Amino acid sequence: MCSSDLYNLVQYTVDQSTEEGGRMVSEEFLQQIVRVGRPVTKLLWIVHDMAEKKLLMGGLDKLVDIALKHKNFALSYKLADILLTEGGKIEEQSFCKLLKLAVNTEAEEDILSCARIGQKLGLLTNEVLKKQIFPNLHNWPELVVTSLEDVGVERKATVTPLIEWLIGQGKTEAASTLAGIFSEHVDNKLKFFTQTSKNVGARSEERRVGK
């Protein structure tokens, strides 16, 4: 049975069912069309049509949950992004699942995409940055800062946590260098790293000139 015929059957079944029974039928239908890999445009048309016909409200939220359940990062991200664009909201638990899927892809682009969503939701905490974002962006620290800035995460939100994370990893030289580059965004408690970076740079320049 093609999806259009199945959808017609779903509509008929829902019309003949109780409210709870109709909701269960509709949700099972969404499960099936996600499972078989229907394109995003088709999924969106169906949930909007379901809402118009009062078959199922909140269908887009449900699609996000289903995609996450199936561990489909690409679909989960696309649907979550659309949901936010349409004024919807993603709960912290769902964001954590999405970020976990992104980490599992081992693709930095996916990590940055999640960082963008986390920033929009106000869920990109220092803890999330240190435990899941920074460890999975394999680049020079200053490029990590600018990469996150490109997806909407300001320097003032990343520089100090990144310095702290680098120190925790025993990478004090990298932390000092980063503090020197973005000194205006370093928390006061870490200002000594900015001065240390300047002193190291000055000594290096003196040795170069002395030669």
Side-chain angles (χ1 to χ4, degrees):
M1 183 181 295
C2 70
S3 59
S4 58
D5 290 339
L6 183 56
Y7 184 43
N8 289 334
L9 179 59
V10 167
Q11 295 180 68
Y12 175 79
T13 304
V14 171
D15 287 340
Q16 304 301 314
S17 303
T18 63
E19 182 178 344
E20 178 63 18
R23 183 185 62 79
M24 292 178 63
V25 169
S26 297
E27 290 183 0
E28 178 58 33
F29 174 67
L30 293 183
Q31 290 268 7
Q32 289 185 33
I33 60 176
V34 168
R35 192 181 303 122
V36 298
R38 294 298 179 199
V40 173
T41 50
K42 183 68 174 179
L43 296 176
L44 293 176
W45 181 86
I46 287 175
V47 294
H48 288 149
D49 192 65
M50 281 183 158
E52 287 182 6
K53 294 176 179 176
K54 297 183 172 21
L55 300 176
L56 179 69
M57 306 305 292
L60 184 51
D61 300 69
K62 191 64 184 177
L63 280 178
V64 173
D65 291 339
I66 294 170
L68 288 170
K69 180 180 177 182
H70 286 279
K71 303 186 186 307
N72 186 331
F73 172 78
L75 180 59
S76 299
Y77 173 75
K78 287 178 183 177
L79 293 173
D81 195 35
I82 293 168
L83 177 60
L84 290 178
T85 301
E86 294 189 356
K89 183 172 174 56
I90 298 171
E91 298 300 326
E92 182 175 2
Q93 184 178 16
S94 294
F95 171 69
C96 291
K97 290 179 180 179
L98 183 66
L99 183 53
K100 184 177 180 180
L101 291 179
V103 170
N104 289 340
T105 68
E106 299 183 354
E108 294 191 10
E109 182 181 351
D110 294 342
I111 301 294
L112 291 170
S113 295
C114 273
R116 184 175 71 83
I117 283 185
Q119 179 69 9
K120 283 185 176 182
L121 295 171
L123 296 175
L124 201 63
T125 62
N126 287 353
E127 183 179 3
V128 170
L129 286 169
K130 292 176 183 178
K131 290 186 176 181
Q132 294 176 283
I133 302 297
F134 297 152
N136 293 290
L137 295 177
H138 309 293
N139 214 328
W140 295 104
E142 57 269 30
L143 294 182
V144 168
V145 171
T146 55
S147 293
L148 285 166
E149 187 176 32
D150 287 342
V151 296
V153 188
E154 297 181 0
R155 295 179 182 183
K156 64 182 180 181
T158 59
V159 172
T160 293
L162 182 51
I163 291 172
E164 292 173 340
W165 180 76
L166 289 168
I167 294 172
Q169 298 294 306
K171 301 176 181 179
T172 53
E173 184 175 346
S176 179
T177 300
L178 187 67
I181 295 173
F182 300 109
S183 58
E184 69 274 23
H185 300 295
V186 179
D187 190 279
N188 287 332
K189 65 186 177 182
L190 295 174
K191 283 293 185 182
F192 69 93
F193 265 99
T194 304
Q195 188 58 47
T196 299
S197 178
K198 290 179 179 177
N199 291 340
V200 170
R203 287 197 296 271
S204 298
E205 181 63 18
E206 288 173 1
R207 286 196 296 269
R208 188 185 67 80
V209 173
K211 291 181 180 180

